Structures are given as C-alpha cells and as structure tokens.
Amino acid sequence: MEHAFNYSILILVFPAIMFLILGLGGKYMKPVIAGTLGSLSLAVMAVLAYTTACQYFFEAGKNADGIYQAINVFHFQWLRFTDTLHIDLGMYLDPISVMMLVVITTVSLMVHIYSLGYMKGERGFQRYYAFLSLFSFSMLGLVVATNIFQMYIFWELVGVSSFLLISFYYMKPSAVAASKKAFIVTRFADFFFLVGILLLSYFTGTFDFATLTASGAAICVSSTAGISFLGISVLSWAMLLVFMGGAGKSAMMPFHIWLPDAMEGPTPASALIHAATMVVAGVFLVARLFPIYFFGAPDVLEIIAWTGAITALFAAVVACTQTDIKRVLAFSTISQIAFMLASLGVSKFGGHEGLGYMAGMFHLFTHAFFKALLFLCAGAIIHAVHSNEMSEMGGLWKKLPVTAITFGVAWLAIAGIWPFSGFFSKDEILAAAMEHKFPIYIVLSVSAGLTAFYMTRLFLRIFFHEKKHYHLEPHEAGPSMAIPLIVLAVFAFGAGFVPFGKFVTSDGVPYNAHIDMQVAITSVVISFIGMGIGFMLYFKKNGIPDKITGSIGTLYKWACHKFYFDELWLFVTRNIIFNRISATIAWFDRKFVDGFMDSLACVTQAVSNTVRNFQSGYIQQYALVYLLGALILVAGFGGWLICFICK
C-alpha cells in the first residue's frame, strides 16, 4: 500500500529544490520569474496534496475494520545508537498529517500568489520567495515526520525560516529586534522540548511515533512505571517538557511575547506563520502524541487545558485594546490557538469521548483559512492606506469593496456566526469543554464573546466608523491580490460543512459529530452580544469608548501594555539571568577558571624564560656550563670520597 503513495514524496522534494534554485540562482532571475516559479511549484504541491488526501480518505487509508491507519510512504535508518534506539527518516501519513498537507499547501499557494502583487518592487523579492519555499518545506516535513527526532529537526528549520521571514526588512532595527526575539524565545522553549525527547527516548528505547502511541501508549506507560521525580512520574515530566516546546512555538503564555512583534515581517509572511505553519506546530505536536498524554500523563493534559483557556482569555482581552490592525490579529491568533489546545486538553479518547480532539483539529482546519484571509485583507488595507493604525482608517467599504466583503466573511467566521466555518469548529470545542471541564467552558465562552467584540471593533473602525480624507485615494489591489482573497473567503465560509469527524478522530474511527443545540445557541447569543456592543461603540464615532476607557483606566492601561509581560521578561532576563546568574558564573569563570589557567601559563612562561638560556647557541657558553658542571661533579664526588675514607 505504501507504493500507492510514492508520488507524495514530491510534496517535500519540490519546495526543497525551489529553495535551492531561488536561493542560489534567484539573483540572476527577474523578480517576476522567481515569483512565478515559486507559485507554480506550490500549485503542483497543492495538487499532489489534494490527490494524496482524496486517495487516503476515500480509497487506501482504511484497513479492513474501517479504521484509518498510519502509512509509511518511505522509511530508512539514518543514525543508530544501540540495538533498539535509532533515528529514522521517512514520510508518515495518517489523518492529521494528510489534513495538514492540504491546509499548508492551500494557504501557502494563496500567499505565494498574493505576494506577486503585494511584494512587487520590493528589494530582495527573489530572496523572499526562497524563504517562503524553505518555510513550506520545513512545515511539510514536520507534519509527515515518522518519529519525534525527525520532527525536531524540521521543528528547528521552521524556527530558522520564521527568523528569515520576520527579519526580511533587515535594514529596519525593529524587524531585526523582532526576529531575534522570536528566535531566542522559541529556542528557549525548544530546549525543554529536546530534554523531553531525550527523557522519552531513554526510557522507551524508541523515537518512532507509531511505536510510542501504539496500544494506548503501552510502551511509554510500561517502561516508565514506578519511576518518578519529586513525586511526579518521569513520563509526566517528559511530556510536560515536550509541551513546553509546543507552547513556545504556539505562543502560549508565558512564551507568547514573540508573536505580536513578529508582525515586522511582510504581511503575507505573517499570514503563513499565523494560519498554517509555525504557530499551529504546538497544537499538532500535542495531537500527534495525544495517546501518550491521555493514557500516560493525564495530569499534563489538565495543564494543557488550563494553559489554553487562560491564554485564550488573556489574548482576547489584550486584543480589545490594540490599535495596530496586525497586532489585533496577532493576539487573535494566540487566542484561537489556545482554543485548540484547550480542546485537546479536555478531550478523552475514542468516539464521542474524543470530541475535544476532533474539535481542536477541526478548528485548526477552519482557522487556517479565515486567519490567512484576515491577514491578507489586512495587507490589502495597508497597501491601500500605507498605515497599520486604525486611527488612520475609516469609511473604506466603498473604496475597497472586495476587501470589505472578504474581510467580512472572515470576521463572521472567527466570531462564530452560523453558517460560517468558525461556528462549526468552535461549537464543537465548547461542547467538549462543557461536557468534560465546565469551568474551562465558561472561560472559553467569555473569550469567544470578546473575540466577536474586538473583531467587530476592527471591522467597523476600518470600513465604517469615521470617513477619512486620504492624501492618496485608496483603491483595490490587482488581481494577484484579489483572487486569493476570494478563494480564501470561499474556504472560510464553506470549510465548516466538511464532515470532519469522518476523517480525523482520536482513535482513527470515523465519528458522526452533531451540533449541540444548547451550546450552539448559547455561543451564537454570546457572539451577537459581543458584536452588538461593538456596533454600539464603533459604528459611528460617538466618544463612548473614550469614556469607558477613562472609567477603567488602570485595567485598560495594563491590557494596552499587554499586562507588562515584555517588561517582566526583560526584568527576569536582564536583572536575574544576566546580572545575577550569568554575572556570577562569568566572575567565577574569570577569577577561578581563567585565573587557574592564567597561573599555569605564567608558571610555564617563567620556567621557559629561565631555561631558554641553556639553548642560546653560543659555543663558549656551552663550554663554560660543561666545565662548571664537571667541576661540581668532581667536587661532589671528592667530598663523598673523603667522607667515606674518614669513616
């Protein structure tokens, strides 16, 4: 059966080759040729991904019992450590990896096409498309990895790719600072991920996903049974450390600080990072290892659920106060990713009990389309008015009708309004939370209401609110930017009608999901309340928002400054890590380590200075020394002889 999917290897080969072609030879090409080559490559990859998905889900993916199975398209040993522990490379197809192939290639293709217009005339155009290819290759390699170490390799490539895209405008100090911040924060989290991998592989003797998750993660549970540290099982420690790596990549608290600043990169790149690649990697990681979390580390699954719920609420509150439209969308991403992790955290395993797993993956699927659409619409708006600030926008719905309509579709989708896609996936998340963790359901419901509010605020302040007099008349972008908006709007509207439970579940058994009317009606009412408040405050300029912010000045100030998490991290890194821990280590290194080595050097040098005269090269000096030595020997021997005779 593996041979039936051999062609899918090309999904990885194409972006790797395109990165080399554009990276090494792009400077010899015209920009339009480089952009066209990159876009055509992604189009071929998208066709292959859709072909793979159709063949897997409708033909060859199920076994005789009707359960979706994992398929190794190719598999070979790369490094061997012991008889049982080795690192393999390969391509692994199962429901979530096949789903991610479709999501990544679709969004990436739209970003490639959109960038032909958005990045036109930019210095480094060819370099930008090379980075996009590397990013696509890295994320595709991550989702089809056969083992956790192979995933880690591509995980780090995703980090490198994001660094290159965020710092694309490397002449801007803010872009350089943002890229370094993203790289350092995610590397800090990835250290814990690596330690977790090493712990897991040490006790289980394998890196392989299929082996680790087989039969209810039996090998993980049995190999670590009875082994604990500080009262917590070693398996729980390993999985907690692995999750910390995922939390860093997916910008969960307290590792979220890098994502808002990552907006310094080109807007289409932001769409790719937020919608289908980097920030969903943490969600995918937890989903890939879900059997281990559920059967072997349920306490860590509880931590994941609460981390997601608290982060969702925190990011939604902060988004209500931001004025840069890309930062609003950045905090929106943090909140929506947190919804997915909370859904995984409250999930059980198999059938209806596994609703949270299916819902989290479903929301990843729908969110990719409407979040990519929101960012690309933001790019069209910025392209038209040359500003990111809402205060410099208003009354654009007549000037940018295509952007306004497509943005409206994404707004209604993320707000969870029927029949837009976000309604279906968010409803399933809330249903799973209500059934298994009611307090988390309350937190997520409040976050959903705030999401509807701040997205309404964003939509109205851009397209309605107060008409502005622009120095340059805003106008719609060209076809290369408009077509991706329309295509993504279709996905953002219709993706919710995909019977997702029939394809992706926690145990591979197709599941018919049904809308919980009580949860659905409640969530829609909450969303309408949030939207209604948004309309009341921002449809026209009325001064009410200023009065409200004045009455809650302290809370608004804290939210506007992101609750000072950036300042807290600076305090911790500068005053504690650098000035205390690192300074102490540096002092010890200088005084003791360097001092000891310097002392050895001084002694060696002093001895060398003393004895070097013996090798002067002067014959007379050698003769004199020889004579003196002989006289000393004769005198010594004579003295000994006299003493011997006297005795």
Side-chain angles (χ1 to χ4, degrees), residues 353-598:
E353 292 294 303
L355 177 62
Y357 180 95
M358 187 278 290
M361 293 294 97
F362 193 13
H363 199 56
L364 188 157
F365 180 72
T366 60
H367 172 265
F369 302 121
F370 61 70
K371 183 52 59 69
L373 177 57
L374 285 169
F375 268 103
L376 295 187
C377 285
I381 295 162
I382 295 168
H383 190 267
V385 302
H386 307 288
S387 175
N388 291 23
E389 288 294 324
M390 284 189 275
S391 60
E392 299 182 24
M393 302 173 189
L396 288 173
W397 70 277
K398 286 186 177 179
K399 302 178 185 298
L400 306 174
V402 174
T403 304
I405 293 171
T406 53
F407 195 107
V409 171
W411 159 51
L412 295 173
I414 195 173
I417 303 301
W418 187 89
F420 297 87
S421 61
F423 163 81
F424 297 93
S425 55
K426 190 176 291 186
D427 175 74
E428 301 292 1
I429 291 176
L430 294 174
M434 185 178 187
E435 184 172 341
H436 297 296
K437 291 282 189 307
F438 189 75
I440 289 180
Y441 164 75
I442 297 298
V443 175
L444 293 181
S445 295
V446 174
S447 303
L450 290 173
T451 300
F453 166 73
Y454 68 70
M455 289 306 302
T456 302
R457 168 180 176 261
L458 180 63
F459 181 76
L460 294 178
R461 290 199 63 179
I462 293 172
F463 296 105
F464 294 91
H465 195 57
E466 180 185 16
K467 293 183 178 180
K468 301 288 184 181
H469 297 286
Y470 299 98
H471 296 295
L472 297 174
E473 189 68 15
H475 58 84
E476 284 286 10
S480 65
M481 293 172 64
I483 291 173
L485 298 184
I486 296 170
V487 172
L488 286 172
V490 172
F491 278 97
F493 175 80
F497 292 102
V498 174
F500 201 79
K502 292 185 177 180
F503 305 119
V504 177
T505 58
S506 59
D507 58 355
V509 180
Y511 167 69
N512 290 319
H514 301 286
I515 294 176
D516 186 321
M517 293 307 297
Q518 178 184 352
V519 174
I521 292 172
T522 303
S523 66
V524 170
V525 169
I526 292 172
S527 294
F528 274 127
I529 291 173
M531 294 171 67
I533 295 173
F535 269 95
M536 182 179 68
L537 297 179
Y538 296 105
F539 185 70
K540 292 182 179 180
K541 189 173 183 179
N542 51 31
I544 298 177
D546 295 332
K547 294 179 182 178
I548 294 175
T549 55
S551 64
I552 56 169
T554 302
L555 176 61
Y556 180 83
K557 180 181 178 182
W558 276 66
C560 192
H561 287 86
K562 298 164 281 187
F563 292 92
Y564 296 98
F565 265 94
D566 288 79
E567 289 78 5
L568 178 61
W569 271 104
L570 283 174
F571 174 80
V572 170
T573 53
R574 288 178 179 175
N575 294 358
I576 297 177
I577 296 177
F578 295 157
N579 294 343
R580 298 289 186 273
I581 300 174
S582 298
T584 303
I585 294 173
W587 178 84
F588 180 83
D589 182 65
R590 288 194 305 271
K591 299 297 183 182
F592 289 89
V593 179
D594 288 352
F596 175 71
M597 300 306 295
D598 290 344

Side-chain angles (χ1 to χ4, degrees), residues 566-643:
D566 288 79
E567 289 78 5
L568 178 61
W569 271 104
L570 283 174
F571 174 80
V572 170
T573 53
R574 288 178 179 175
N575 294 358
I576 297 177
I577 296 177
F578 295 157
N579 294 343
R580 298 289 186 273
I581 300 174
S582 298
T584 303
I585 294 173
W587 178 84
F588 180 83
D589 182 65
R590 288 194 305 271
K591 299 297 183 182
F592 289 89
V593 179
D594 288 352
F596 175 71
M597 300 306 295
D598 290 344
S599 298
L600 288 179
C602 290
V603 171
T604 303
Q605 189 174 22
V607 173
S608 300
N609 289 334
T610 302
V611 302
R612 69 181 180 179
N613 292 325
F614 290 105
Q615 294 291 331
S616 64
Y618 294 108
I619 300 297
Q620 298 91 334
Q621 185 177 359
Y622 293 163
L624 178 62
V625 171
Y626 175 78
L627 179 61
L628 289 174
L631 291 174
I632 292 171
L633 288 173
V634 169
F637 179 75
W640 173 82
L641 185 61
I642 293 171
C643 291

Side-chain angles (χ1 to χ4, degrees), residues 266-283:
T267 302
S270 299
L272 191 57
I273 292 172
H274 285 251
T277 53
M278 185 169 179
V279 293
V280 300
V283 181

Side-chain angles (χ1 to χ4, degrees), residues 31 115 117-126 128 168-169 266:
S115 298
Y118 188 88
M119 299 296 291
K120 185 177 182 180
E122 288 279 5
R123 180 184 176 187
F125 185 91
Q126 300 93 322
Y128 169 78
F168 177 76
Y169 299 115

